[in-house]
Amino acid sequence: MKVEIIKCLQDNYTYLIINEKNNYACIVDPGEAEPVIDFIKKKNIKLKFILNTHHHYDHIGGNNDLKKKYKAKIVGFKDDKHRIPNMDILVENNQIWKGENFEAKIIHIPGHTTGHICFYFSKEKMIFTGDTLFSLGCGRIFEGTYKQMYNSLNKLKTLPLSTKIYCGHEYTLNNSMFCLKHDKNNKNLGKKVLEINDKLKKNLPTIPSTIDEELACNIFLRAKNLEDFSKLRDLKDNF
Ligand code: ZN
Ligand code: FE
């Protein structure tokens, strides 16, 4: 399995997971169809599934065009059936979803939205976290509670350390400034920020990160308790 990172909209990432044996692929959170179509055309890829982490338009905007063009099936959380149009496959918490040779565990991680899920490919040790866990940050709490978001992040903390994290946006630079402001003496963070700046200078994505790196550097994962976490989330909202 190979993951290709495709930029779309302002600062969204959509991810193409390709089985190199047959060129079958899944696309995660296509905010728009065009950049995905361009990529697929060039590489002769057969799109089979569209995986959505949540219903926000910048994550599903390309769904319908891709579904129509490639007859790909849309996979999403069952409780979001009313707001992710034309879903084909409804999944639920802790389910192992299988399609062709793809296999991912569905983990319900509410907070950003009530129906937010992530796709954990345990064999490949990679996870698609949408707008819940970002590199050096976490998503805004739009529909859920602080407690839900805190619990959701705690679930992700238990994944194997080497798990690669593919998140929904390139927010890492701004996130790094917030982390630096409130966690000045963190040497691991200092090191990661240098790497981030280096990548951005070369116009490369800062994604994927890993659970290991995020545990060491992401201030939201380092919060000691719910109260701490909530304070940080409020500060970040006004940062
Ligand atoms: Zn969102
Ligand atoms: Fe988003």
Side-chain angles (χ1 to χ4, degrees):
M1 280 317 159
K2 187 177 170 200
V3 178
E4 292 284 352
I5 303 178
I6 301 173
K7 286 185 183 186
C8 68
L9 302 172
Q10 185 101 341
D11 49 27
N12 279 75
Y13 284 133
T14 173
Y15 300 104
L16 198 61
I17 308 165
I18 307 162
N19 179 347
E20 289 164 292
K21 285 190 192 125
N22 52 14
N23 263 356
Y24 285 4
C26 303
I27 188 84
V28 181
D29 284 354
E32 56 182 343
E34 222 158 89
V36 180
I37 293 170
D38 282 350
F39 191 97
I40 284 177
K41 245 193 241 156
K42 272 183 254 157
K43 307 267 171 155
N44 193 27
I45 277 159
K46 298 165 196 94
L47 187 67
K48 294 287 173 183
F49 300 101
I50 298 163
L51 313 182
N52 291 137
T53 62
H54 66 296
H55 74 283
H56 285 158
Y57 193 74
D58 61 314
H59 298 254
I60 68 168
N63 274 13
N64 283 344
D65 285 350
L66 293 172
K67 177 174 169 155
K68 231 184 271 162
K69 196 169 168 72
Y70 303 105
K71 297 188 182 69
K73 296 207 155 53
I74 301 176
V75 183
F77 190 53
K78 65 174 187 356
D79 292 357
D80 275 346
K81 193 174 187 279
H82 61 294
R83 54 186 187 176
I84 299 177
N86 306 316
M87 265 207 275
D88 300 286
I89 298 167
L90 309 181
V91 293
E92 58 189 357
N93 189 32
N94 288 328
Q95 178 183 339
I96 310 286
W97 166 76
K98 289 181 189 172
E100 299 294 345
N101 284 315
F102 302 102
E103 183 178 323
K105 183 177 180 183
I106 309 302
I107 309 172
H108 182 215
I109 44 171
H112 180 68
T113 67
T114 52
H116 199 301
I117 56 173
C118 57
F119 295 86
Y120 173 50
F121 287 72
S122 60
K123 276 186 212 150
E124 291 83 8
K125 288 225 176 60
M126 56 187 193
I127 188 162
F128 297 86
T129 58
D131 287 356
T132 297
L133 176 61
F134 293 121
S135 182
L136 300 184
C138 74
R140 278 178 193 265
I141 297 165
F142 282 127
E143 297 177 355
T145 62
Y146 291 91
K147 187 154 191 230
Q148 278 179 325
M149 183 57 113
Y150 183 67
N151 290 342
S152 294
L153 293 174
N154 280 341
K155 282 190 197 176
L156 301 179
K157 280 169 141 182
T158 66
L159 295 169
L161 294 177
S162 61
T163 308
K164 289 195 175 96
I165 301 165
Y166 294 89
C167 57
H169 292 265
E170 181 58 72
Y171 287 162
T172 315
L173 181 63
N174 179 276
N175 288 343
S176 76
M177 290 177 201
F178 181 78
C179 285
L180 280 174
K181 184 174 175 188
H182 297 281
D183 196 10
K184 276 188 213 72
N185 300 320
N186 183 338
K187 289 207 179 83
N188 291 316
L189 174 63
K191 206 177 131 225
K192 186 160 168 82
V193 170
L194 291 178
E195 289 164 11
I196 287 164
N197 287 329
D198 197 48
K199 283 183 186 155
L200 292 173
K201 236 183 276 160
K202 294 174 185 152
N203 208 14
L204 294 172
T206 62
I207 308 305
S209 185
T210 62
I211 294 291
D212 196 22
E213 286 175 31
E214 293 304 314
L215 286 174
C217 305
N218 185 330
I219 199 165
F220 292 97
L221 298 190
R222 289 163 59 76
K224 284 186 283 299
N225 50 42
L226 175 61
E227 200 194 330
D228 234 44
F229 169 77
S230 307
K231 267 188 213 152
L232 286 167
R233 192 53 262 176
D234 283 343
L235 285 168
K236 183 65 167 55
D237 283 344
N238 299 301
F239 181 68

